[in-house]
């Protein structure tokens, strides 16, 4: 994990503030958790329509919790962020959590990570969504610094503020919502940001120790499913799968797809 985190620019850095952890009383709330979007705006809009239709039969307060990874790989990363900055569907609230791709994008913007590292994460499509053709820039500018300056100036300040504002975890009475997972033997307040957006094997192999259900994405699966106390809802929308939401209401779950 430490080696991978270092490669992705996710090593501990004094310039990066610890992300907020939120607590939510869901006893009278319907929660709709949404998996990894990765620039798939059409799929997100379609899923939101399904959520709104489902919510018509659900009284009371309703919250959409986005599990992170809104950018990279898919065709409309910038437009997805625009959409998430806009008000949620009528009758709903929305919480957006951070994923590892948002942290990597922000690390590039802040100069902690080089462009080549971000590009290896699928940033080419993200840049195109901001109107940036990297091949064309490379023909115009000779230095990497000039290219970096153009890219960083092209990303709206509102998008950068959005990236900085994202909390990393929501804790409810029986559920935890997070991008990748967590270390079951570590208290939530002591979980590292790196683990919460990157962890895989250490989470999957020890999930039997979890005390609450963990709803997460990060690792694409063919269909959403519960395995013990963890529920993976990243169904690989950007890889040709569907975008999935999990509705949790009165301690009962239901999957919705686009």
């Amino acid at each position: 994990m430490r080696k991978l985190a270092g490669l992705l620019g996710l090593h501990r850095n004094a310039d990066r503030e610890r992300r907020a952890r939120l607590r939510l009383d869901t006893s009278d709330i319907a929660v709709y958790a949404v998996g990894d979007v990765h620039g798939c705006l059409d799929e997100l809009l379609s899923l939101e329509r399904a959520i709104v239709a489902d919510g018509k039969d659900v009284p009371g307060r309703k919250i959409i919790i986005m599990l992170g990874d809104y950018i990279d790989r898919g065709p409309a990363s910038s437009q997805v962020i625009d959409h998430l900055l806009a008000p949620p569907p009528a009758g709903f609230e929305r919480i957006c959590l951070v994923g590892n791709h948002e942290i990597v994008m922000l690390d590039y913007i802040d100069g902690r990570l080089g462009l080549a590292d971000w590009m290896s994460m699928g940033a080419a499509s993200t840049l195109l969504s901001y109107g940036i053709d990297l091949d064309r820039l490379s023909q115009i500018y000779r230095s990497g610094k000039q290219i970096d300056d153009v890219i960083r100036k092209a990303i709206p300040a509102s998008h950068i503020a959005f990236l900085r504002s994202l909390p990393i975890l929501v804790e409810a009475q029986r559920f935890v919502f997070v991008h990748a997972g967590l270390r079951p033997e570590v208290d939530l307040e002591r979980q590292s940001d790196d683990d919460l957006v990157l962890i895989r094997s250490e989470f999957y192999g020890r999930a039997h120790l979890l005390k609450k259900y963990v709803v997460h994405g990060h690792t694409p699966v063919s269909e959403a499913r519960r395995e013990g106390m963890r529920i993976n809802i990243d169904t690989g929308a950007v890889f040709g799968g569907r975008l999935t939401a999990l509705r949790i209401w009165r301690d009962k779950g239901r999957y919705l797809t686009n």
Side-chain angles (χ1 to χ4, degrees):
M1 178 62 67
R2 290 176 181 171
K3 182 178 180 181
L4 177 60
L7 287 172
L8 299 184
L10 296 179
H11 47 76
R12 292 189 179 277
N13 191 298
D15 295 333
R16 190 192 302 127
E17 294 185 3
R18 187 172 186 263
R19 296 273 172 169
R21 278 85 163 148
L22 307 181
R23 290 186 177 178
L24 183 66
D25 182 352
T26 58
S27 54
D28 295 314
I29 298 176
V31 173
Y32 293 82
V34 176
D36 300 35
V37 177
H38 280 303
C40 296
L41 179 63
D42 290 343
E43 290 81 353
L44 176 57
L45 297 177
S46 175
L47 181 59
E48 281 191 355
R49 289 191 290 269
I51 290 172
V52 169
D54 181 85
K56 291 179 180 179
D57 298 324
V58 179
R61 191 177 171 197
K62 295 177 279 287
I63 295 181
I64 298 170
I65 299 181
M66 308 292 298
L67 296 184
D69 278 6
Y70 314 116
I71 63 165
D72 294 341
R73 298 178 178 149
S77 293
S78 173
Q79 293 76 17
V80 166
I81 294 179
D82 280 336
H83 179 71
L84 295 176
L85 281 169
F92 288 79
E93 301 168 54
R94 183 164 56 211
I95 298 172
C96 295
L97 300 180
V98 71
N100 59 301
H101 283 257
E102 286 78 49
I103 291 179
V104 167
M105 179 176 175
L106 191 57
D107 276 353
Y108 167 71
I109 291 170
D110 289 341
R112 289 188 289 266
L113 195 67
L115 180 57
D117 295 302
W118 185 26
M119 291 294 289
S120 72
M121 301 281 287
S125 59
T126 301
L127 295 178
L128 285 173
S129 76
Y130 285 102
I132 301 168
D133 184 336
L134 187 57
D135 290 337
R136 180 61 177 155
L137 282 184
S138 299
Q139 295 172 0
I140 298 173
Y141 300 103
R142 293 185 177 181
S143 78
K145 183 181 183 305
Q146 289 176 309
I147 293 173
D148 288 338
D149 288 344
V150 171
I151 292 173
R152 289 166 179 151
K153 289 177 182 178
I155 299 172
S158 60
H159 287 204
I160 297 173
F162 173 78
L163 297 176
R164 296 194 196 284
S165 72
L166 299 174
I168 203 164
L169 175 151
V170 173
E171 179 186 6
Q173 291 93 322
R174 295 185 62 200
F175 294 88
V176 175
F177 302 88
V178 66
H179 177 64
L182 49 83
R183 292 185 182 272
E185 70 278 12
V186 177
D187 292 340
L188 284 181
E189 284 301 315
R190 296 178 56 235
Q191 300 278 340
S192 75
D193 284 8
D194 291 357
D195 281 339
L196 295 174
V197 299
L198 282 175
I199 198 167
R200 282 195 171 102
S201 60
E202 297 94 335
F203 170 49
Y204 303 154
R206 301 177 67 79
H208 61 284
L209 299 176
L210 291 167
K211 298 176 182 178
K212 295 186 178 187
Y213 290 101
V214 176
V215 182
H216 67 96
H218 186 56
T219 301
V221 291
S222 58
E223 61 181 24
R225 58 180 176 263
R226 179 173 70 86
E227 295 186 4
M229 297 291 285
R230 69 177 186 87
I231 308 167
N232 186 352
I233 60 170
D234 178 6
T235 46
V238 74
F239 301 116
R242 290 178 174 262
L243 186 62
T244 295
L246 170 63
R247 185 192 77 183
I248 301 171
W249 183 45
R250 297 176 178 171
D251 287 333
K252 294 182 180 180
R254 177 185 179 186
Y255 297 117
L256 295 86
T257 59
N258 65 295

